[in-house]
Amino acid sequence: MTGCDHCVVRNRAICSTLDAAELAALNQISHHRELKAGQTLAWEGDESFQVANVIEGVLKLSASLSDGREQIVGVAYPSDFVGRPYGSQNRQTITAITDVRLCAFRRVDFERFSADHPDLEHKILQRTLTELDRARQWMLLLGRKSAREKLASFLLEMSERLADSGCQSRALPADQFGLPFGRQQIADILGLTIETVSRQLTELKRSGFIELPDNRTVIIKDRKRLEQMTDQPGSAREGKRH
């Protein structure tokens, strides 16, 4: 039995294309790493020496502005791949929002392994294109949507990305889930103030879209109306996640 045999994201991660022998070989060059909330995995501008599959927890990808402010440009969830293979420099700072467990690889070792396994390289390409799609959606969300639309889009994304798929490659969106971060972090991610986030959550609850049993738990009561608000029909969203 290898570490991959017990991996809870094995069927969703980029290594899902590998057979048992290939997984055993990949396991030989991997190591597990844990980060506490607030710890940084990689710094923007530093040499890229490590890549990793996210096993548990959530990380933020951020870039620095010229005046020192931080802009969050993405969020990584379990089964996501972080780091920059085939590149010598990190383009973003990667920081744990929650406690995180990673299956990590030295970048050069991973590049050497993937060069010998075309299916893995193909999976990396698929993930790259998916991330490009997400980046374009992120630009739309931050640049064109209202505060309420931003928050609704964020909650729908959470319901998909935090769904427990178990042994399946993809799970149905969860109608109830726990947010891995607080309202200030949500505000930072969406480019809003914490007051705006709190006010919009209250309005979504009052309008019957969601329930909020406590500060972290969200129950989606009317997914269809929430999707209509964000102009993201369910049929168009299916198949985009992995």
Side-chain angles (χ1 to χ4, degrees):
M1 299 285 282
T2 69
C4 299
D5 293 310
H6 304 285
C7 180
V8 295
V9 299
R10 172 181 170 182
N11 293 325
R12 293 176 286 151
I14 59 168
C15 46
S16 62
T17 60
L18 303 178
D19 61 29
E22 292 169 328
L23 284 172
L26 182 64
N27 189 58
Q28 294 299 311
I29 64 169
S30 71
H31 64 277
H32 285 270
R33 182 169 180 184
E34 296 185 359
L35 298 176
K36 294 294 185 182
Q39 284 189 297
T40 295
L41 176 68
W43 292 96
E44 178 185 6
D46 282 359
E47 180 184 358
S48 173
F49 66 89
Q50 184 172 223
V51 296
N53 281 322
V54 183
I55 299 175
E56 182 180 307
V58 180
L59 303 102
K60 65 179 180 180
L61 284 64
S62 61
S64 299
L65 304 178
S66 58
D67 60 3
R69 289 178 296 165
E70 175 193 70
Q71 175 63 58
I72 297 175
V73 296
V75 182
Y77 301 90
S79 81
D80 281 348
F81 186 75
V82 294
R84 187 175 174 81
Y86 315 114
S88 60
Q89 190 178 68
N90 295 317
R91 297 300 184 183
Q92 296 94 29
T93 296
I94 306 173
T95 307
I97 295 179
T98 67
D99 290 350
V100 170
R101 289 197 301 122
L102 302 166
C103 181
F105 312 87
R106 290 178 64 239
R107 178 178 62 84
V108 292
D109 291 339
F110 185 83
E111 289 175 356
R112 189 178 302 115
F113 182 90
S114 61
D116 294 330
H117 297 82
D119 286 346
L120 182 59
E121 284 194 319
H122 180 68
K123 193 73 171 181
I124 294 172
L125 175 59
Q126 285 183 318
R127 286 295 179 97
T128 301
L129 294 174
T130 297
E131 289 303 318
L132 179 59
D133 288 340
R134 285 180 183 156
R136 288 168 174 163
Q137 287 298 316
W138 194 269
M139 291 170 61
L140 174 63
L141 183 149
L142 293 180
R144 293 295 182 181
K145 292 189 176 184
S146 68
R148 180 175 291 195
E149 290 170 339
K150 288 180 180 181
L151 189 56
S153 297
F154 177 79
L155 293 177
L156 289 170
E157 175 83 359
M158 293 299 97
S159 77
E160 295 183 355
R161 303 303 305 280
L162 296 174
D164 182 8
S165 62
C167 296
Q168 303 301 315
S169 60
R170 185 169 62 228
L172 292 175
D175 286 331
Q176 179 172 336
F177 54 93
L179 290 170
F181 25 66
R183 295 187 180 186
Q184 182 60 65
Q185 290 169 315
I186 295 173
D188 292 341
I189 290 169
L190 297 179
L192 302 172
T193 65
I194 187 172
E195 292 81 10
T196 298
V197 169
S198 296
R199 184 168 59 251
Q200 292 302 326
L201 282 172
T202 299
E203 288 298 321
L204 289 174
K205 177 181 178 180
R206 182 178 297 132
S207 299
F209 290 96
I210 62 173
E211 286 291 339
L212 302 169
D214 53 53
N215 286 336
R216 291 295 181 96
T217 303
V218 176
I219 301 174
I220 294 180
K221 303 294 291 184
D222 196 330
R223 180 177 296 274
K224 184 175 180 179
R225 288 174 62 209
L226 208 59
E227 290 173 341
Q228 289 172 341
M229 178 195 300
T230 63
D231 195 27
Q232 296 182 57
S235 59
R237 289 153 60 91
E238 288 176 4
K240 286 188 177 182
R241 308 296 173 228
H242 42 262

